[in-house]
Amino acid sequence: MNSPRTIFHIDMDAFFASIEQRDNPEYRGKPVIVGARPGFRGVVSTASYEARKYGVHSAMPVNEAYRRCPHGIFVTPRGRVYADVSRAIMSIFERFSPCVEQVSVDEAFLDMSGTERLFGSVLNAAKEISERIRVEQKLTGSIGIAPNKFLAKIASDMNKPNGITVAPFDPDQIKKWLAPMPVQKIWGVGKKSAEALARMGICTIGDLQELSIEYLEERFGKNGVSLFDLCRGIDDRPVGNEESIKSISREHTFNVDSQDRGQWQEVLFSLVQDVSKRARSYGVKGQTVFITWRRPDFSRHSRRKPLPFATNAAKLIYESAFELLEELRERSLRLLGVGITGLDEAVQTDLFAQKSLESLEASEAAVDRIVARFGKKVIGKGREVGRKRDLDSFD
Ligand code: TTP
Ligand code: MG
């Protein structure tokens, strides 16, 4: 029997169009259609909610969109900007869970199981994520909370835009909740399968629930078994790929490209505090440290280095990360990030070193507890003192 899980699915609202409305205040409250230019071949990437009222949607030929909404604001996509925002959003998610699976440019699953301790309740965590997206990116996303990926995805779509929806967690309630929904809500049931099912008189998930597993298997083979499970809301797929489960990182974009190595070190130091604190709160250690950076031309690069021991101690992570930074042959940086990987692998360390390492980790964990209780002001670790202003810009 698997232990119960809590999964979030987060999907940004009208993603490309909302970014355009954010960056061009004169577009706000208006029908914005991002995609090909009217008069040319090509399709709509997405439309703002104001434009959707006219029936405009993703993948519609742009000339059709123009017929439906001639007074719309037609915008050519700015891919690089969207990719940057996407990365920033994903890095917000990574602050809330070490297990994030990015599904598309504006969508991710987070395994939030066991995080109640950190955020009070999962609903509270969802509100905080939503708030971080609003404050840091001036955008909104919709969040679904459920015991698995399938239900979380359905939930996130139910109260768009800017909604938080909690799916039922009890098996009977889940069945009832799903019953009135159309069969297309099930992953893998596209237009063709839906038509085939409709010919059998099956239109809703509730209709599917009536069928026996034998019948479904005979009719649809292996897919029939998964239909049997999904229509009851059963889905055991784990969140994440190897990569996402095995790293914790933070990054900072400079307000203006920075040529100041002293500033790079300060930023690195602050970021390492966060990475280390998160690793401690999740009870994981890393074996490798990496730094990532972006040049002013937006190109992204990274370098990695093994840590002397698997650890989550800020001191050791910083020392290795600092060496990587020292080796950097860049004049100017747009962004700097740091992280640890190799979180799950078991490692052997020699016993003597292990002991001093444990006491270092224990003392840093003690600092976390004091800060959690009395606030950050009471403790400053050397360089953190006087850097509060800069630290604020990371949150
Ligand atoms: P979606 O999340 O599907 O759509 P959305 O974020 O615009 O709107 P919603 O509030 O319904 O989630 O896709 C994310 C982005 O991906 C979208 O803003 C533009 C791009 N996209 C395309 O370019 N073509 C497409 O056909 C789709 C579906 C999306
Ligand atoms: Mg979206």
Side-chain angles (χ1 to χ4, degrees):
M1 174 90 187
N2 292 330
S3 54
R5 299 185 296 158
T6 306
I7 310 298
F8 282 14
H9 178 258
I10 309 176
D11 181 8
M12 299 298 292
D13 303 319
F15 190 50
F16 295 0
S18 303
I19 295 173
E20 295 305 333
Q21 288 179 319
R22 175 193 76 177
D23 295 350
N24 303 279
E26 67 275 21
Y27 295 174
R28 291 182 197 160
K30 304 221 169 96
V32 173
I33 297 158
V34 182
R37 297 210 338 251
F40 293 83
R41 279 158 54 108
V43 295
V44 172
S45 298
T46 194
S48 69
Y49 279 77
E50 294 84 357
R52 292 184 194 192
K53 288 188 199 136
Y54 298 88
V56 177
H57 56 75
S58 295
M60 170 182 276
V62 73
N63 291 324
E64 169 70 21
Y66 187 74
R67 271 193 292 281
R68 292 187 186 211
C69 186
H71 62 293
I73 302 167
F74 289 81
V75 183
T76 325
R78 293 183 296 150
R80 205 139 83 168
V81 174
Y82 309 151
D84 251 8
V85 178
S86 170
R87 205 177 278 278
I89 299 284
M90 296 302 152
S91 87
I92 294 177
F93 300 163
E94 283 163 9
R95 277 180 241 157
F96 287 84
S97 165
C99 186
V100 175
E101 177 185 341
Q102 180 169 0
V103 190
S104 75
V105 69
D106 78 329
E107 210 184 319
F109 288 106
L110 279 62
D111 191 332
M112 298 293 290
S113 313
T115 61
E116 288 88 343
R117 185 170 54 89
L118 295 172
F119 305 111
S121 70
V122 282
L123 190 58
N124 200 44
K127 285 180 186 157
E128 277 191 39
I129 293 175
S130 191
E131 176 72 359
R132 292 325 309 164
I133 298 172
R134 192 183 60 77
V135 171
E136 293 178 32
Q137 291 297 324
K138 313 266 181 297
L139 294 170
T140 63
S142 296
I143 306 181
I145 304 175
N148 61 47
K149 288 164 82 169
F150 169 57
L151 298 171
K153 189 167 164 74
I154 289 181
S156 73
D157 202 35
M158 286 179 89
N159 290 299
K160 263 183 166 298
N162 201 18
I164 296 178
T165 309
V166 185
F169 279 63
D170 167 79
D172 288 336
Q173 295 297 325
I174 292 171
K175 257 183 95 175
K176 281 194 199 130
W177 188 70
L178 288 172
M181 298 182 192
V183 286
Q184 286 98 315
K185 283 272 173 194
I186 296 180
W187 266 344
V189 178
K191 217 171 148 210
K192 275 204 177 136
S193 320
E195 279 165 12
L197 287 166
R199 281 196 293 276
M200 294 160 60
I202 293 158
C203 299
T204 66
I205 296 182
D207 296 335
L208 260 183
Q209 289 168 355
E210 303 289 320
L211 304 178
S212 71
I213 188 161
E214 291 79 15
Y215 179 80
L216 283 168
E217 194 171 9
E218 190 193 307
R219 195 77 177 63
F220 301 104
K222 224 175 96 195
N223 292 340
V225 180
S226 96
L227 271 182
F228 182 83
D229 280 345
L230 288 174
C231 72
R232 289 167 176 72
I234 298 169
D235 172 23
D236 290 333
R237 283 167 300 181
V239 172
N241 44 45
E242 298 266 295
E243 202 54 12
S244 65
I245 295 171
K246 287 186 178 164
S247 75
I248 291 182
S249 63
R250 285 287 308 259
E251 52 188 46
H252 175 69
T253 303
F254 295 104
N255 287 335
V256 278
D257 295 346
S258 169
Q259 302 188 349
D260 177 355
R261 286 193 162 254
Q263 189 186 18
W264 301 358
Q265 284 173 24
E266 299 283 356
V267 164
L268 188 77
F269 184 81
S270 299
L271 293 175
V272 164
Q273 304 303 319
D274 272 355
V275 167
S276 146
K277 191 169 163 214
R278 270 172 51 216
R280 283 196 295 278
S281 69
Y282 299 135
V284 293
K285 300 178 183 187
Q287 294 188 81
T288 303
V289 64
F290 60 90
I291 62 169
T292 57
W293 67 96
R294 266 183 196 242
R295 292 183 181 151
D297 68 1
F298 284 86
S299 61
R300 185 176 267 277
H301 308 268
S302 73
R303 281 272 164 76
R304 55 171 59 207
K305 192 183 197 78
L307 283 158
F309 316 103
T311 182
N312 52 31
K315 185 172 180 295
L316 295 180
I317 297 171
Y318 181 70
E319 281 167 6
S320 294
F322 179 74
E323 286 173 23
L324 286 167
L325 190 72
E326 285 286 276
E327 291 160 12
L328 211 62
R329 298 272 159 268
E330 300 288 347
R331 284 243 302 276
S332 181
L333 297 185
R334 178 182 156 74
L335 168 152
L336 182 63
V338 62
I340 52 175
T341 64
L343 302 181
D344 286 336
E345 297 148 44
V347 249
Q348 287 205 313
T349 46
D350 80 73
L351 280 176
F352 181 72
Q354 181 66 33
K355 200 156 184 303
S356 56
L357 185 64
E358 276 170 9
S359 70
L360 181 62
E361 285 163 357
S363 77
E364 291 191 1
V367 170
D368 288 347
R369 284 194 296 277
I370 295 170
V371 170
R373 217 167 139 202
F374 301 108
K376 211 166 189 171
K377 282 211 186 95
V378 298
I379 271 186
K381 273 175 269 165
R383 307 173 68 153
E384 263 190 21
V385 179
R387 299 296 304 173
K388 181 79 176 84
R389 201 161 36 88
D390 280 8
L391 283 172
D392 284 344
S393 66
F394 301 121
D395 285 312

